[in-house]
Amino acid sequence: MRTSSTKRILVTGGAGFLGSHLCERLLQAGHDVICVDNCYTGTKENIRALLGNPSFEFVRHDVTFPLYVEVDEIYNLACPASPIHYQFDPVQTTKTSVHGAINMLGLAKRVKAKILQASTSEVYGDPTMHPQREEYWGNVNPIGTRSCYDEGKRCAETLFFDYFRQHRLRIKVARIFNTYGPRMHPNDGRVVSNFIVQALSGHPITVFGDGSQTRSFCYVDDTVEGLMLLMNSGDEFTGPVNLGNPGEFTMLELAEKVIELTGSKSKIIYKTLPQDDPRQRQPDISLAKKKLGWEPKVKLDDGLARAIAYFDSFLKSGMSSLKNEYPLDEARSG
Ligand code: NAD
Ligand code: UDP
Ligand code: UDP
């Protein structure tokens, strides 16, 4: 039943990994949720459990086109997030970040909604400051294969701050660091899903480069909690704010951890490091702690155990139930 605290909330990219968890949490908090997604990398399978909920509505739509709905808040998550997916159609990736941001900001302006952008640690590129603080402007290659994503997200941040300055919009910008958990796409090439699927199916674990590059992995529940706290923070706080887990691991350490937790007999093999692969990444989360009272709660071992349980039952159920509607398979096997 609607109460005075019930909000109408739009989640773009709501059928994706992070978006589906966010929709679920917003419904649990008693809100009405409109999930907009073109199912480029997300699937209806991710939101199947929500489809029967009268407070939930799924709209198949591409955010690069205008959208007219009446809402109180917008979480703008639409954008492919894994390197394989965002490099498959790089022009569309930039359009999604840039045209998508313009349309969602235009919508927020018309209906006076508060709007949150899912930005990324990729705006720091291959960082020369470690750990990364929000003041750092980044070290991004503007013409490389990752640029469609990095520069698209940087431009989206620019648009958010220009709408804030020019039109007084209520904006929030979250810089999300690597997040993992159930409903990651098993074939999207991201390291956590790759290693777990390889370990569970007895295939070699593919470490790129010498495996000494680092990442910091945040469990999805923690990231979603951070996004909601940011949305509900005072209007004076716009961010950008880092959301991530400061625990930093090399990819070799991650591979060894996954082998240990799955009890797998898989061997580690080494493959070429992709272009512009950041050497190190670790968030400084002092700002999130201070402004949002947020810090991650789930330890890597516990989160990995939950993700392993998900992929285990997923693999046993057969992969065919989770298919994208775009021809990404060729890219994935490349
Ligand atoms: P995901 O690929 O699972 O989800 C993205 C969703 O956006 C998918 O459902 C996809 O179909 C949808 N989408 C893509 N283009 C669209 C378009 N033009 N119109 C409508 N929908 C479109 O990825 P995710 O990991 O859930 O990431 C969600 C957001 O969070 C992305 O914006 C991503 O850049 C950001 N982010 C994620 C991480 C992470 O580690 N997961 C880290 C940093 C930032
Ligand atoms: N827009 C939208 N939904 C709305 C209002 C606007 O998708 O409810 C789109 C619109 O198509 C426009 C963009 O958002 O291209 C930017 O809107 P804005 O009002 O900022 O700019 P303008 O319409 O003046 O170009
Ligand atoms: N990586 C790896 N093996 C894989 C997939 C990825 O060693 O099978 C590495 C990749 O080179 C990068 C890190 O893991 O250094 C994280 O990659 P991911 O694609 O998950 O995220 P991002 O590079 O965007 O942080």
Side-chain angles (χ1 to χ4, degrees):
M1 189 192 290
R2 279 189 76 95
T3 66
S4 56
S5 60
T6 303
K7 291 180 207 144
R8 295 159 304 174
I9 303 181
L10 168 63
V11 180
T12 75
F17 159 54
L18 268 177
S20 61
H21 285 275
L22 177 62
C23 288
E24 206 170 282
R25 287 284 303 280
L26 292 169
L27 287 167
Q28 279 164 8
H31 300 299
D32 289 342
V33 175
I34 302 178
C35 162
V36 162
D37 203 297
N38 67 351
C39 294
Y40 184 58
T41 52
T43 64
K44 266 175 113 176
E45 198 57 43
N46 284 340
I47 48 165
R48 187 158 305 284
L50 312 180
L51 289 171
N53 186 330
S55 300
F56 182 77
E57 203 178 331
F58 171 65
V59 180
R60 188 182 295 255
H61 174 82
D62 181 331
V63 294
T64 62
F65 297 98
L67 175 72
Y68 290 84
V69 289
E70 310 307 310
V71 289
D72 305 304
E73 290 178 355
I74 303 168
Y75 288 85
N76 188 36
L77 271 61
C79 186
S82 87
I84 286 180
H85 284 167
Y86 68 65
Q87 290 170 22
F88 177 73
D89 185 348
V91 173
Q92 174 67 14
T93 299
T94 304
K95 278 187 191 169
T96 295
S97 277
V98 177
H99 293 182
I102 291 174
N103 286 329
M104 292 310 106
L105 287 160
L107 168 62
K109 187 178 114 191
R110 182 179 62 80
V111 300
K112 300 187 172 44
K114 201 173 357 171
I115 181 166
L116 180 149
Q117 168 68 357
S119 190
T120 167
S121 51
E122 284 286 317
V123 301
Y124 301 123
D126 190 2
T128 52
M129 174 193 267
H130 196 72
Q132 293 81 55
R133 294 172 58 85
E134 291 82 355
E135 296 79 34
Y136 178 53
W137 290 355
N139 176 34
V140 175
N141 175 358
I143 57 167
T145 51
R146 292 176 88 100
S147 316
C148 58
Y149 184 72
D150 301 6
E151 296 291 15
K153 288 285 189 180
R154 285 169 69 94
C155 184
E157 286 200 10
T158 307
L159 285 160
F160 267 67
F161 278 87
D162 282 334
Y163 270 79
F164 168 69
R165 285 184 286 257
Q166 198 174 329
H167 299 299
R168 310 309 305 164
L169 244 62
R170 291 177 295 156
I171 63 155
K172 308 280 177 187
V173 174
R175 290 189 180 148
I176 303 168
F177 283 63
N178 298 61
T179 296
Y180 70 98
R183 298 197 208 121
M184 287 181 91
H185 201 289
N187 290 331
D188 74 4
R190 281 190 267 194
V191 70
V192 174
S193 44
N194 257 18
F195 285 2
I196 294 177
V197 170
Q198 288 164 343
L200 290 175
S201 49
H203 292 122
I205 310 276
T206 53
V207 168
F208 297 165
D210 62 5
S212 63
Q213 72 273 34
T214 67
R215 294 291 186 275
S216 305
F217 298 104
C218 194
Y219 190 68
V220 60
D221 290 359
D222 283 330
T223 303
V224 166
E225 173 81 12
L227 291 174
M228 290 170 64
L229 284 169
L230 175 59
M231 181 63 102
N232 293 323
S233 62
D235 287 349
E236 74 294 343
F237 185 59
T238 57
V241 59
N242 290 338
L243 294 180
N245 192 321
E248 186 186 7
F249 298 87
T250 69
M251 294 311 98
L252 203 51
E253 284 171 333
L254 180 71
E256 282 158 358
K257 224 176 227 312
V258 168
I259 289 174
E260 183 195 320
L261 289 170
T262 51
S264 173
K265 297 204 173 10
S266 293
K267 297 272 171 291
I268 292 173
I269 59 167
Y270 293 88
K271 292 203 154 191
T272 315
L273 192 68
Q275 190 196 5
D276 295 334
D277 199 275
R279 285 285 320 145
Q280 51 182 11
R281 198 183 280 154
Q282 183 193 30
D284 180 322
I285 59 164
S286 330
L287 186 66
K289 275 188 187 160
K290 185 169 157 219
K291 294 288 188 178
L292 310 175
W294 176 87
E295 64 182 314
K297 297 191 186 81
V298 182
K299 293 196 175 61
L300 185 61
D301 280 32
D302 298 338
L304 282 178
R306 292 186 216 173
I308 288 166
Y310 166 79
F311 281 112
D312 193 36
S313 63
F314 176 77
L315 289 173
K316 284 178 181 145
S317 74
M319 288 232 185
S320 55
S321 61
L322 219 175
K323 265 207 159 325
N324 292 109
E325 295 173 21
Y326 292 82
L328 293 163
D329 289 322
E330 205 181 311
R332 281 189 206 121
S333 60

